[in-house]
Amino acid sequence: MHTVAILAYDEMTGFESGLAAEIFGMTELSEMFSAGIARPWYSVRLCSETPEVRMLGGAVVRTSYGLDELARADTVVIPSVRDVTTPTSPELIEAIRAAYERGSRLVSICSGAFALAAAGVLDGRTATTHWIYVDLLAERYPDVVVDPAPLYVDNGRILTSAGCAAGLDLCLHIVRSDHGVRVANDVARRLVISPHRSGGQAQYIESPVPEPTADGRIASGMAWALENLDSPITLDDLAAHSAMSRRSYLRQFAKATGTTPIKWLIEQRIQASLPLLESSALSIEQIATRVGFESPVTFRYHFARQMRTTPSDYRSCFTGSDPEQQWRRAR
């Protein structure tokens, strides 16, 4: 059975370690059963340097596993570190290096990248962390190629993510890589989260919080557009199906969503293309047409702007064509 060791440490929050435990410890999944995956699919172990750790808020957690078990796990998750301004303990560094040398998959969430960097396993590799810490990580570990933009970075055996919530995306990405799209989507449904946010998606976009619409006309026009993504849709079409003039529609749409109708429409078409790239045999040209782009060139352009990768490279993540993806499946 594939073992997942999750680091616990003094003054940790329950969120980061908990999200990893929830995802890798989940068992009641219909798609898992239909795919013939044995239960439990992962063996989850909470590991710490001491038998007890104090959580933020005053709770005390007793752990049954130490750093020796962490070093022997198939996947090691470092949720974060206690304090980015203090050195990682020699014992944890030794455990991470031991896990790396035996071929384990190493995963960091948020500031956990500092522990991986301290162990030297990120040298020469691209990594990310929470946007607040990227400058400090780059300054302290100049041999690490720190990318401040993405939600997560997958280097095959070593994966790093941005802030806490990006840990959900990364853990779900790991499930998708290990067990396929159907099972990962089932996990996402259980957690009521987005089934896929690309690792290349920006971790921080400054935009206003959308205000609620004054009536249902904007929502009605949006619903119509979603049902007709494969057809040409103009701004006048959207305004007409919202029973507004063009000028009034632009003003009300921006107030309701914080964006423009055309930008929103492009985003919806890109999102509609993702499941087709993940699981269909349609060509890029056919998918572009299916989701309403005028040409494959236009589709590729907008896809790259939004997802920070190409449609073909995105699709390759789900076909096992990448050597590191094949390594994960073999594990």
Side-chain angles (χ1 to χ4, degrees), residues 295-317:
S295 70
V297 173
T298 305
F299 173 48
R300 291 187 176 95
Y301 171 77
H302 288 296
F303 193 97
R305 289 195 64 182
Q306 184 168 322
M307 303 298 294
R308 291 173 56 91
T309 187
T310 67
S312 296
D313 286 345
Y314 178 89
R315 169 172 268 174
S316 71
C317 293

Side-chain angles (χ1 to χ4, degrees), residues 253-319:
F253 193 97
K255 181 180 179 181
T257 67
T259 188
T260 68
I262 299 305
K263 286 183 179 179
W264 174 83
L265 183 60
I266 290 172
E267 290 173 359
Q268 301 314 305
R269 284 177 162 154
I270 294 298
Q271 290 301 311
S273 75
L274 300 184
L276 298 176
L277 290 167
E278 293 168 8
S279 58
S280 80
L282 296 174
S283 67
I284 301 298
E285 290 74 12
Q286 290 171 320
I287 291 174
T289 300
R290 183 76 61 91
V291 298
F293 283 101
E294 295 179 356
S295 70
V297 173
T298 305
F299 173 48
R300 291 187 176 95
Y301 171 77
H302 288 296
F303 193 97
R305 289 195 64 182
Q306 184 168 322
M307 303 298 294
R308 291 173 56 91
T309 187
T310 67
S312 296
D313 286 345
Y314 178 89
R315 169 172 268 174
S316 71
C317 293
F318 301 91
T319 62

Side-chain angles (χ1 to χ4, degrees), residues 73-84:
D74 298 304
T75 294
V76 174
V77 180
I78 311 295
S80 57
V81 295
R82 178 178 177 180
D83 184 353
V84 296

Side-chain angles (χ1 to χ4, degrees), residues 1-4 41-43 70-76 98-106 156-159 174 177-179 323-331:
M1 187 183 302
H2 189 107
T3 57
V4 177
W41 54 349
Y42 299 100
S43 175
L70 183 140
R72 290 194 293 267
D74 298 304
T75 294
V76 174
Y100 175 75
E101 289 171 0
R102 64 175 297 276
S104 301
R105 174 170 53 193
L106 305 179
R157 278 185 53 205
I158 302 179
L159 304 91
I174 291 170
S177 299
D178 287 351
H179 298 290
E324 292 289 356
Q325 297 282 353
Q326 294 175 354
W327 173 87
R328 280 197 299 274
R329 294 182 187 277
R331 298 290 293 183

